[in-house]
Amino acid sequence: MRDIAVKLLEEVEANRLPSLPHILIKLLQACREEEVCFDTISELISQDASLCAKVIKAANSPVYGRARNLNSLKHTLLFLGLDTIKSVAITASIKQFFSEYSSQKTSFLKDFWQHSLSCANIARSLAELTNYPYAEEAYISGLLHDIGKLMLEPVMDAEYKKLNHGGATPLQILQSEEDAFGLSHSELAARILEKWHLPDVVCDAIRYHHAPLGKIQNAHHLAKIINLANTLASDNSRDLTPLKSEAARYLFDLSEGVIDKLLVEAEENSRSIALSMEIDIGDTEKNQQIDEQKQLELAREVRDNALILGSQPNSGFSVKELYLTIQQSISLLFGINTSLILTPNDDQQLQVSSACEHLESQLFSDLKIELDADCVITQCLTEHRVTDSFSAQSSDTLCIIDEQVIRGLKTDGFVCIPVIKNEQIQAVALLACDIYKATQLLEHPSFLRLFAENISDRIKRQSEYQQTTLEISNRFNKEFIDRAREIIHETNNPLSVIRNYLQILSKKLQSDTPVQNDLQIIKQEIDRIGNIILRCKEKHDTNSAELTRIDLNQVINELFNIYKSSLFLTHNIKAELELESNLPKIESDKDIIKQIITNLVKNAVEAIGSDGQISISSGSININGKSYIELKLRDNGPGIPKEILSNIFKPVISTKGKAHSGLGLSITKNLVNRTGGSISCRTNETGTTFIVQFPDGT
């Protein structure tokens, strides 16, 4: 029996966990809205254990870089981003669309959904009542506590299903799981969540949610909360049985009145959500008809969402970004985190795309496979069909290059999906997997063909976008260069005059006057402007910047001294500095850092107009284990309109008049990218804050 448990642990995937079609329909509809509301999607996912598990699994997948220290579901969703969340929703719906439907399974999912949601709400209330500091963590733990039952559901026998739907006690159900699978649903869930890197306290709370009162009494606070929440949510009713009252008194000394109120609130909350989802609990004939209609409605929603992930336009993506999104689609759709995208080169060879640079094996850095080679990988192209290494292995026709790829991927084998458009080879998607997963994939050839067609369309759109961009660039390149040279020549003359005048002025003043320092700073800035203009003649090279160790506070102070007697003074702006002392230095180009600060200050001044306030601050911050130096510039202007905010870092037509090109923040973002940092913006009607994070140079 233990072998079955081991197999379950190896094969279980988050994207196979079923959800009620009622919830998936609401989620797909929300994703399809023109202006998608992040809070709406977050709320829907937080009401379903299966969807919650999917996003947690995705956030901890190597494909997404593995999130750390995400202590709430909302933080996890923010980490993944809206596009990935939409992909999770579509993937879940596709899986549901292809899964077998039955009224018995829907009834099981309804009971599971109601119990999980009740347990989550009760757990959060208990956390607040008993002063547990992480109420959101308690909610997620309560929502996921029975996720092991969803994992066992596909392999349940008739006897087990009777126990689950009948009046069996939790101990009887646990014993039947131990006898059939070698471990309980609570242990299975805990082990899977450990694989997904959830905190130990969460995994243990789920592991021990059926533990006897005598054993759970001295456990971690969260374990006691989930244990009691599960007891109180049992039988999906607010009836206060002696068992529930005893558990509440024993674990937290809570009175019957308090628990009764808590159960009423949980039941009302579940009923309200069920009503909004059009979920009718019960097995009446009318409810079964509604459920069947929901299954059909889900099929229509899947169709309307184009069946396959990633159908949204990818214009503006680099080739590497395109293939990375395809790999993410593979991870979400098939639960496969290791894949290769092989593309043809001009020498009639397949080579590994740049999106696979993270793979450790040296084999993939210089792998070249002739298109006419006799191997499983090229066979999918010559025969225009999905191939796999396992079939070749069983017939003893696996060639050496296939074996090398298998070892390089550290896998049992692979499945190859050809991507061909009008007889033109575009790519091969190679999915690393075991024989069980390969068998699953090969059972749905039409699904794989649809996926290949989608990849083909995305590659075609990317190629067309690149071609159009190149044509536009070539058309305007010569005219731009000629005009730039003219401007450079004209600009250098007045700059030279200004610099010479400053030297004369400096000699007229006493050498020890404080103004000398100001003049020196102005001369440095004029020289910097001259160098920037001269570099416009040269071919752009993002690696040509001179990197030095820079004290950010020193740069801010230098520029601040200039602005307070010029830009700030002429606009009657009150400015202040809030600089954290002893900041680590950053390794970058000083001119680039100055330009970033200058652009942000000018942007703030233009936004305020006159009589405003600007605050510049610095500090250190840790993001997912990496240290950054943070620069913040706040103003009390009117804020940025919503229609502009979505394109704030893109070249646009300026709203500030003819004197402005509309390129300032676009250039600033490019400069920040060159430092290896990031820039973001927060705004409302009381002001705007730009946040720049530079990598710590230590």
Side-chain angles (χ1 to χ4, degrees):
M1 294 300 178
R2 292 281 173 183
D3 292 339
I4 300 176
V6 172
K7 189 175 181 181
L8 273 173
L9 283 166
E10 290 175 349
E11 295 171 358
V12 71
E13 301 162 11
N15 61 2
R16 289 176 58 201
L17 300 178
S19 295
L20 282 169
H22 312 61
I23 298 168
L24 294 174
I25 289 167
K26 292 286 185 183
L27 186 58
L28 286 176
Q29 289 172 344
C31 288
R32 208 170 64 241
E33 291 291 328
E34 193 168 322
E35 292 186 4
V36 183
C37 178
F38 184 89
D39 288 338
T40 299
I41 291 177
S42 175
E43 185 177 359
L44 286 168
I45 291 174
S46 71
Q47 292 166 355
D48 184 76
S50 176
L51 290 171
C52 183
K54 286 176 172 66
V55 297
I56 289 172
K57 170 66 161 54
N60 286 285
S61 162
V63 176
Y64 291 93
R66 281 190 179 157
R68 295 294 186 205
N69 304 321
L70 298 177
N71 56 8
S72 77
L73 181 59
K74 193 160 187 177
H75 287 168
T76 303
L77 295 173
L78 287 169
F79 170 80
L80 287 176
L82 198 54
D83 287 341
T84 301
I85 297 166
K86 289 166 71 174
S87 295
V88 169
I90 297 170
T91 301
S93 304
I94 291 169
K95 290 290 181 182
Q96 200 83 346
F97 177 72
F98 279 99
S99 66
E100 184 180 348
Y101 170 78
S102 71
S103 58
Q104 184 185 37
K105 182 174 180 178
T106 303
S107 176
F108 165 77
L109 289 176
K110 282 182 176 181
D111 289 342
F112 176 88
W113 175 81
Q114 186 183 21
H115 174 71
S116 298
L117 187 60
S118 296
C119 186
N121 283 315
I122 292 170
R124 180 157 53 196
S125 297
L126 285 173
E128 293 167 352
L129 272 173
T130 61
N131 295 319
Y132 184 67
Y134 309 110
E136 177 71 7
E137 186 178 71
Y139 180 91
I140 293 174
S141 302
L143 192 68
L144 297 178
H145 80 288
D146 260 352
I147 201 78
K149 288 187 176 180
L150 284 188
M151 298 169 181
L152 292 174
E153 193 271 342
V155 291
M156 286 179 183
D157 59 16
E159 190 63 32
Y160 180 84
K161 290 178 181 178
K162 286 180 185 177
L163 286 173
N164 245 320
H165 293 289
T169 65
L171 288 178
Q172 288 174 315
I173 294 175
L174 291 172
Q175 189 59 54
S176 69
E177 291 168 349
E178 289 277 359
D179 294 342
F181 310 115
L183 79 176
S184 65
H185 67 268
S186 50
E187 180 65 26
L188 174 63
R191 293 192 192 183
I192 293 297
L193 295 176
E194 284 171 346
K195 288 175 65 176
W196 297 347
H197 307 285
L198 262 70
D200 292 344
V201 291
V202 172
C203 297
D204 280 346
I206 289 168
R207 175 177 278 116
Y208 299 119
H209 74 263
H210 279 301
L213 288 179
K215 290 188 176 181
I216 200 71
Q217 185 185 24
N218 296 317
H220 186 273
H221 195 159
L222 182 62
K224 293 195 291 184
I225 287 174
I226 302 307
N227 187 283
L228 178 56
N230 175 64
T231 300
L232 296 176
S234 62
D235 69 29
N236 289 325
S237 75
R238 70 181 191 187
D239 295 336
L240 194 58
T241 63
L243 177 63
K244 295 179 181 180
S245 299
E246 180 190 356
R249 284 197 307 272
Y250 189 79
L251 293 178
F252 293 112
D253 197 24
L254 297 174
S255 68
E256 290 186 2
V258 170
I259 294 301
D260 185 59
K261 182 180 178 182
L262 188 151
L263 291 177
V264 170
E265 290 174 353
E267 185 189 35
E268 289 176 349
N269 181 273
S270 296
R271 187 188 297 118
S272 173
I273 293 172
L275 187 63
S276 69
M277 299 280 189
E278 300 177 49
I279 300 173
D280 292 308
I281 306 299
D283 292 326
T284 65
E285 186 175 340
K286 180 183 176 182
N287 288 348
Q288 290 176 9
Q289 290 174 354
I290 294 173
D291 295 339
E292 290 173 3
Q293 290 172 2
K294 288 296 178 184
Q295 191 71 12
L296 292 172
E297 190 177 342
L298 176 63
R300 288 193 294 270
E301 286 292 335
V302 169
R303 178 199 63 197
D304 293 343
N305 279 275
L307 275 175
I308 297 295
L309 296 173
S311 57
Q312 59 266 37
N314 51 273
S315 297
F317 277 13
S318 68
V319 174
K320 181 177 179 179
E321 288 172 327
L322 168 66
Y323 290 127
L324 278 172
T325 62
I326 291 173
Q327 285 184 306
Q328 290 170 356
S329 296
I330 290 170
S331 174
L332 290 168
L333 259 182
F334 307 118
I336 293 175
N337 291 328
T338 303
S339 59
L340 284 182
I341 306 297
L342 301 162
T343 56
N345 60 22
D346 295 335
D347 297 325
Q348 297 298 297
Q349 298 169 322
L350 286 176
Q351 62 185 28
V352 178
S353 76
S354 58
C356 303
E357 292 173 350
H358 63 284
L359 294 171
E360 296 177 359
S361 175
Q362 186 180 344
L363 169 72
F364 301 122
S365 61
D366 53 8
L367 178 66
K368 301 287 189 297
I369 304 174
E370 302 293 334
L371 289 176
D372 58 0
D374 184 19
C375 64
V376 173
I377 298 170
T378 55
Q379 186 183 12
C380 75
L381 297 172
T382 56
E383 299 182 8
H384 288 219
R385 67 177 181 86
V386 176
T387 58
D388 70 283
S389 63
F390 300 99
S391 300
Q393 199 168 17
S394 62
S395 60
D396 200 26
T397 57
L398 200 64
C399 75
I400 290 177
I401 189 63
D402 294 324
E403 293 178 352
Q404 286 183 295
V405 168
I406 291 170
R407 281 194 294 273
L409 292 172
K410 298 179 175 59
T411 185
D412 295 340
F414 56 77
V415 170
C416 289
I417 303 174
V419 183
I420 302 172
K421 187 79 170 181
N422 299 328
E423 298 299 318
Q424 181 182 355
I425 297 170
Q426 295 174 303
V428 172
L430 190 151
L431 283 54
C433 58
D434 57 21
I435 190 168
Y436 174 82
K437 171 59 70 177
T439 303
Q440 278 188 321
L441 293 172
L442 296 171
E443 284 176 352
H444 299 286
S446 60
F447 188 42
L448 297 180
R449 280 196 300 272
L450 283 170
F451 180 69
E453 288 171 10
N454 178 262
I455 293 178
S456 175
D457 289 341
R458 294 169 75 180
I459 293 173
K460 182 183 177 184
R461 288 200 302 271
Q462 172 66 24
S463 177
E464 290 172 348
Y465 172 80
Q466 283 190 310
Q467 183 63 32
T468 302
T469 303
L470 181 62
E471 289 173 0
I472 294 172
S473 175
N474 290 337
R475 191 184 311 156
F476 293 106
N477 192 41
K478 186 178 183 303
E479 180 183 344
F480 174 80
I481 291 174
D482 291 343
R483 180 59 181 151
R485 285 174 176 166
E486 182 183 337
I487 292 172
I488 290 167
H489 178 74
E490 292 175 356
T491 307
N492 271 324
N493 290 332
L495 283 177
S496 298
V497 173
I498 294 171
R499 197 181 192 289
N500 290 336
Y501 179 75
L502 287 172
Q503 286 179 327
I504 294 170
L505 184 61
S506 176
K507 289 178 180 178
K508 288 182 177 180
L509 297 171
Q510 294 181 3
S511 59
D512 58 350
T513 180
V515 178
Q516 290 286 359
N517 185 51
D518 293 339
L519 291 175
Q520 185 61 31
I521 292 175
I522 294 171
K523 282 192 288 185
Q524 289 175 0
E525 291 304 299
I526 290 173
D527 289 343
R528 186 165 70 88
I529 293 169
N531 289 331
I532 291 171
I533 293 171
L534 287 173
R535 283 206 301 269
C536 292
K537 287 184 176 181
E538 304 167 0
K539 183 179 178 181
H540 180 62
D541 180 3
T542 57
N543 298 318
S544 62
E546 183 180 347
L547 300 182
T548 56
R549 294 179 62 76
I550 298 165
D551 183 338
L552 181 63
N553 287 347
Q554 181 182 336
V555 175
I556 294 172
N557 276 312
E558 288 177 4
L559 294 176
F560 190 82
N561 288 333
I562 296 174
Y563 300 144
K564 70 181 181 181
S565 57
S566 56
L567 197 60
F568 297 157
L569 182 65
T570 56
H571 289 79
N572 195 29
I573 286 174
K574 181 181 178 182
E576 60 180 15
L577 294 180
E578 300 173 16
L579 307 182
E580 182 180 312
S581 60
N582 300 319
L583 276 182
K585 293 186 177 181
I586 58 177
E587 190 171 292
S588 188
D589 182 278
K590 189 173 183 179
D591 287 344
I592 290 177
I593 302 299
K594 283 186 173 183
Q595 189 65 55
I596 290 168
I597 298 171
T598 299
N599 287 2
L600 292 176
V601 169
K602 286 182 64 180
N603 185 76
V605 171
E606 289 164 359
I608 297 171
S610 297
D611 303 316
Q613 295 181 353
I614 289 177
S615 169
I616 304 174
S617 62
S618 66
S620 56
I621 187 173
N622 187 285
I623 303 175
N624 291 334
K626 293 183 179 180
S627 297
Y628 292 85
I629 306 303
E630 189 171 72
L631 165 72
K632 286 185 180 180
L633 192 145
R634 297 189 294 271
D635 67 59
N636 67 338
I640 300 170
K642 186 178 180 181
E643 62 272 15
I644 295 176
L645 186 61
S646 58
N647 294 305
I648 192 167
F649 294 117
K650 296 179 182 178
V652 293
I653 297 174
S654 176
T655 59
K656 300 173 185 174
K658 293 182 179 179
H660 302 277
S661 65
L663 292 172
L665 290 175
S666 172
I667 292 171
T668 303
K669 186 176 191 312
N670 291 335
L671 291 172
V672 172
N673 290 344
R674 287 175 65 182
T675 70
S678 64
I679 182 170
S680 58
C681 173
R682 294 199 299 258
T683 186
N684 56 39
E685 63 277 3
T686 62
T688 299
T689 301
F690 282 92
I691 305 163
V692 184
Q693 290 158 348
F694 302 107
D696 185 342
T698 57

